[in-house]
Amino acid sequence: MKKILFLLFPIISFAQSQNEIKAINFQNTLRFYNFVDSLTYCDTLSINAQKWAEHLADVDMLRVSSDAFGENVYSIKKISKTVLPNFSHVIDATIYWATSTEDALEQIINPTATKIGFGISENKNKYFIVAKYNNVIE
């Protein structure tokens, strides 16, 4: 049984990173159409984004942090009827950021941003998704 679990673990973590890759690709498509260089994934930004997502889940409130990174935040209620088994929270958040607010889209297409990281956390009622960028929009 231990061998089976060991073999399944890389598949599970690979599936999670695939959704993040798709979200980055979507953001890079938006950047391409705005003549901006592509974003690259950054482990440090992901660690910071994960910490902030966990904090948001703990306080059950959506707000932007005051750190030195650019940021987009998103939450979605846990409703089992609307969340399909292959639903990706990070892709849903990216689509929301691209279509809902000017500030979130401005962060995505800002030419001074070159790196991105994601954090995903949950509490009893919601999922919280955070994207951190290596720049801050003033």
Side-chain angles (χ1 to χ4, degrees):
M1 184 67 172
K2 289 181 183 177
K3 290 180 183 178
I4 293 172
L5 291 177
F6 181 73
L7 291 173
L8 289 177
F9 180 72
I11 295 170
I12 292 167
S13 72
F14 180 73
Q16 184 180 13
S17 64
Q18 283 296 329
N19 286 328
E20 290 177 0
I21 290 168
K22 289 177 184 178
I24 293 170
N25 287 341
F26 181 75
Q27 291 192 30
N28 282 335
T29 299
L30 294 171
R31 292 170 67 87
F32 173 80
Y33 283 109
N34 284 277
F35 306 101
V36 180
D37 292 335
S38 295
L39 295 167
T40 57
Y41 176 82
C42 176
D43 286 330
T44 302
L45 289 172
S46 288
I47 290 168
N48 283 288
Q50 185 62 39
K51 286 179 184 177
W52 189 246
E54 289 170 5
H55 171 75
L56 294 176
D58 287 343
V59 298
D60 196 24
M61 184 186 311
L62 193 63
R63 62 188 177 94
V64 178
S65 69
S66 59
D67 64 18
F69 302 111
E71 181 175 271
N72 281 327
V73 294
Y74 175 74
S75 71
I76 184 171
K77 289 183 181 180
K78 289 183 175 179
I79 303 172
S80 60
K81 293 179 184 177
T82 60
V83 179
L84 302 172
N86 60 348
F87 179 79
S88 169
H89 301 91
V90 71
I91 294 171
D92 189 58
T94 297
I95 292 169
Y96 174 81
W97 295 325
T99 60
S100 65
T101 68
E102 220 173 280
D103 291 339
L105 178 61
E106 185 179 343
Q107 179 63 66
I108 292 171
I109 63 172
N110 188 286
T112 61
T114 58
K115 297 178 182 178
I116 187 172
F118 292 105
I120 303 167
S121 189
E122 66 181 282
N123 62 21
K124 182 180 176 184
N125 302 313
K126 298 177 191 169
Y127 294 98
F128 293 86
I129 298 86
V130 175
K132 293 271 187 181
Y133 303 82
N134 64 325
N135 73 318
V136 176
I137 297 205
E138 300 296 328

